[in-house]
Amino acid sequence: MESRLIYGFHAVLGKLRRDPESVFELYLSAQRTDARAKDVVRLAESQNVRLIQAEAERLDGMVGTRRHQGVVARVDAKSRELKLADVLEVLEENALILVLDGVQDPHNLGACLRVADAVGAHAVVAPKDRAVGLNATAIKVASGAADSVPYVTVTNLARALREMQEAGIWVVGAAGEAEKSVYEVDQKGPVAWVLGAEGDGLRRLTRETCDELARIPMLGTVESLNVSVASGICLFEARRQRGS
């Protein structure tokens, strides 16, 4: 059976909780003995998933990066779906989530996943309809980020935003006409940034569900930025405010 590797605690814990049957084996760094590592061990044992202790250098070689956090899972290549509740359940720090409303270009989606990975976002959320989905092109452009950042598709985006709000996450929509700029939004607490497709922007219901709107200051002649560029500006400002 064809398999692929996923890595990082959010991706691996979410998979173990939601779809343990798709996890063939789990690699955990021998140096990780903290609470999250113990959660992984407990879940793996309860679901009869094969657990392999491995040195960090071996994990580096498996996934081609040191950003695996000491946990790698080999899973069914056909299994990618993840639920929002699974992501929210494993959050142990201020959430940083990217929500994409109506992005239909796979190159843009892949680039957004790369941005989310670079900034350490906990998930990328998108609707199942009127969106491109995680196809082969998006996965290739993401350059590995599709396996490190949980990608969640939802049937009702407004409802998903309300779930985040109920979990204590402040939902901010990027809109060019907003009075407040991205640099004036307090992002020290849990935040979800919602961005629409270039040109169309946010849909009406999505916009109305956000807690507040903010704009990226535009000083030139163009009216909008590519959604992946805009995502980077918004998410890295959150990291700057948090001092990391």
Side-chain angles (χ1 to χ4, degrees), residues 84 87-88 91 94-100 116 119-125 150 152 161 164 169-170 172 190-195 235 238 242:
L84 179 60
V87 173
L88 298 179
L91 287 175
N94 280 349
L96 184 55
I97 296 174
L98 174 61
V99 182
L100 301 174
V119 79
H122 299 107
V124 174
V125 179
V152 180
L161 295 178
M164 295 181 209
I169 298 172
W170 189 251
V172 186
V191 170
W193 268 102
V194 190
L195 287 89
L235 294 176
R242 298 173 187 197

Side-chain angles (χ1 to χ4, degrees), residues 110-138:
C112 285
L113 284 165
R114 290 185 70 178
V115 167
D117 175 81
V119 79
H122 299 107
V124 174
V125 179
K128 289 183 178 179
D129 298 326
R130 296 184 57 168
V132 61
L134 200 56
N135 61 22
T137 299

Side-chain angles (χ1 to χ4, degrees), residues 24-214:
F24 300 144
E25 55 192 12
L26 185 64
Y27 298 84
L28 182 66
S29 170
Q31 286 74 45
R32 293 298 301 248
T33 59
D34 52 275
R36 286 207 290 183
K38 291 177 180 177
D39 283 344
V40 167
V41 172
R42 177 179 54 80
L43 278 171
E45 290 177 346
S46 68
Q47 300 292 349
N48 294 317
V49 174
R50 184 186 180 200
L51 182 63
I52 302 169
Q53 293 286 334
E55 294 300 321
E57 292 77 11
R58 181 183 180 187
L59 302 182
D60 294 347
M62 289 174 67
V63 300
T65 176
R66 294 184 178 181
R67 301 182 64 180
H68 46 69
Q69 300 179 308
V71 59
V72 177
R74 187 177 301 280
V75 303
D76 187 342
K78 297 180 180 179
S79 176
R80 287 190 179 274
E81 185 178 352
L82 191 66
K83 293 182 179 179
L84 179 60
D86 298 315
V87 173
L88 298 179
E89 185 179 353
V90 300
L91 287 175
E92 296 182 350
E93 55 187 337
N94 280 349
L96 184 55
I97 296 174
L98 174 61
V99 182
L100 301 174
D101 183 20
V103 173
Q104 300 187 36
D105 185 331
H107 294 88
N108 281 341
L109 174 58
C112 285
L113 284 165
R114 290 185 70 178
V115 167
D117 175 81
V119 79
H122 299 107
V124 174
V125 179
K128 289 183 178 179
D129 298 326
R130 296 184 57 168
V132 61
L134 200 56
N135 61 22
T137 299
I139 293 169
K140 182 178 180 181
V141 174
S143 300
D147 293 322
S148 60
V149 180
Y151 180 72
V152 180
T153 56
V154 296
T155 55
N156 187 311
L157 188 59
R159 184 186 305 140
L161 295 178
R162 288 192 287 270
E163 286 182 40
M164 295 181 209
Q165 291 166 332
E166 290 170 1
I169 298 172
W170 189 251
V171 177
V172 186
E177 74 278 9
E179 293 185 5
K180 184 181 290 188
S181 86
V182 56
Y183 306 114
E184 297 173 303
V185 175
D186 185 352
Q187 301 186 59
K188 298 182 182 67
V191 170
W193 268 102
V194 190
L195 287 89
E198 184 178 356
D200 295 336
L202 300 177
R203 289 178 291 173
R204 180 188 58 81
L205 185 56
T206 303
R207 181 188 304 262
E208 293 175 353
T209 307
C210 293
D211 291 304
E212 69 176 320
L213 301 175

